[in-house]
Amino acid sequence: MKLIPMNLLSNQIERRWTVANFRDLTTTKLDGIFEVYARNVKTGKTEKIEEANLVVAQARTLMRDLVVGGNTSITKIQIGDMNKSLGDDISDLGDPSYGDTELENSFFDKAYASREAITYDDRPAIKYKFVIEEDEANDSDNDDYERKLWCEYGLINNDGKIWNRKIKPIIKDNETEITIYWTLIF
C-alpha cells in the first residue's frame, strides 16, 4: 500500500470538486412536450398534435432561482401570431431559439386550468393544462365566422419571463375549443 502525503491528497480532492468538473449546465436535460387537442364544439370531432418543444436558456436561471427559494412559478400560456395573418405565407416560420426571451407578437394570455406533478419516461415532470374556449382568441374582423392564425406559444412565469417556446401554426375559430397540455420534464 502506498501512502499519499496529506497535502497532495487535499489538492486532488479540491481539484476533483471544482466547478469545471461538474457537468456543464448547457448539457443538463430539460425537455418539454407540447400537446394540443382541438375539438369542434358542434361536431365533437377532435384533432391532436403532440411534439417536443424548446426549453429556453433563461428557464435554467429560473429553475436555479426556484431551487434557492425564489418566488417564481409558471402562471400562464401566451399565444402569438408572429405578425402573420390568415393568407400569409407560413411555410417557413423558423424554429425557436435557445436564447429566446419572449414571443414575437403575443396577443392572448390564459392562466393554467390545472397543473400536476407526474413522471414521464421515469423522469420527474410537471404537466400544465390550458383550456381556450371556442369564443376566446379568435379574430373579431368577421362577425359570422371568426378565425385567427396562431403561430407561437410560450409558458410564462409570474414575472413575465418565458420558460418554453413552441412554433406551430394552428387556425383557431369560434367553433373550436383548444386544450393544451404542456409538460416540463426534468
Side-chain angles (χ1 to χ4, degrees):
M1 179 163 120
K2 182 177 177 186
L3 294 176
I4 300 172
M6 200 54 156
N7 64 339
L8 288 178
L9 182 61
S10 176
N11 288 343
Q12 287 176 348
I13 291 171
E14 277 182 37
R15 213 172 315 121
R16 194 174 36 187
W17 290 103
T18 61
V19 172
N21 290 321
F22 284 101
R23 188 163 50 146
D24 182 357
L25 278 178
T26 60
T27 64
T28 301
K29 193 134 171 93
L30 199 62
D31 296 317
I33 301 294
F34 182 78
E35 296 173 78
V36 177
Y37 294 85
R39 184 180 69 83
N40 184 298
V41 295
K42 291 184 177 180
T43 66
K45 181 181 176 192
T46 300
E47 295 180 40
K48 178 186 176 188
I49 299 167
E50 181 177 343
E51 297 180 356
N53 72 98
L54 182 71
V55 179
V56 298
Q58 88 181 348
R60 297 177 192 285
T61 303
L62 295 169
M63 283 296 298
R64 178 209 57 206
D65 295 348
L66 184 60
V67 169
V68 297
N71 186 22
T72 186
S73 65
I74 292 172
T75 57
K76 63 185 175 182
I77 189 171
Q78 274 187 351
I79 299 171
D81 61 14
M82 298 178 75
N83 295 306
K84 300 287 185 185
S85 298
L86 290 169
D88 289 350
D89 179 12
I90 57 168
S91 59
D92 187 19
L93 293 175
D95 294 317
S97 167
Y98 185 65
D100 287 344
T101 58
E102 60 186 15
L103 298 185
E104 274 186 44
N105 188 42
S106 172
F107 67 86
F108 182 77
D109 294 358
K110 182 85 180 224
Y112 63 81
S114 65
R115 68 178 174 185
E116 64 179 315
I118 64 168
T119 301
Y120 188 92
D121 285 343
D122 295 326
R123 292 170 54 197
I126 301 170
K127 189 173 192 172
Y128 291 88
K129 177 182 180 181
F130 304 91
V131 179
I132 297 93
E133 303 292 340
E134 66 271 15
D135 60 347
E136 295 180 302
N138 299 315
D139 193 0
S140 59
D141 292 343
N142 182 342
D143 293 333
D144 296 331
Y145 190 72
E146 298 176 356
R147 297 186 311 165
K148 178 73 175 170
L149 177 64
W150 297 1
C151 295
E152 58 180 341
Y153 315 83
L155 282 182
I156 309 298
N157 79 345
N158 53 323
D159 294 332
K161 294 180 180 167
I162 191 170
W163 283 68
N164 295 50
R165 183 164 181 237
K166 178 68 181 168
I167 296 176
K168 181 71 177 178
I170 296 173
I171 297 174
K172 168 73 168 70
D173 61 41
N174 61 353
E175 294 180 358
T176 305
E177 174 188 87
I178 304 278
T179 302
I180 297 173
Y181 293 97
W182 208 324
T183 305
L184 292 175
I185 308 164
F186 304 96

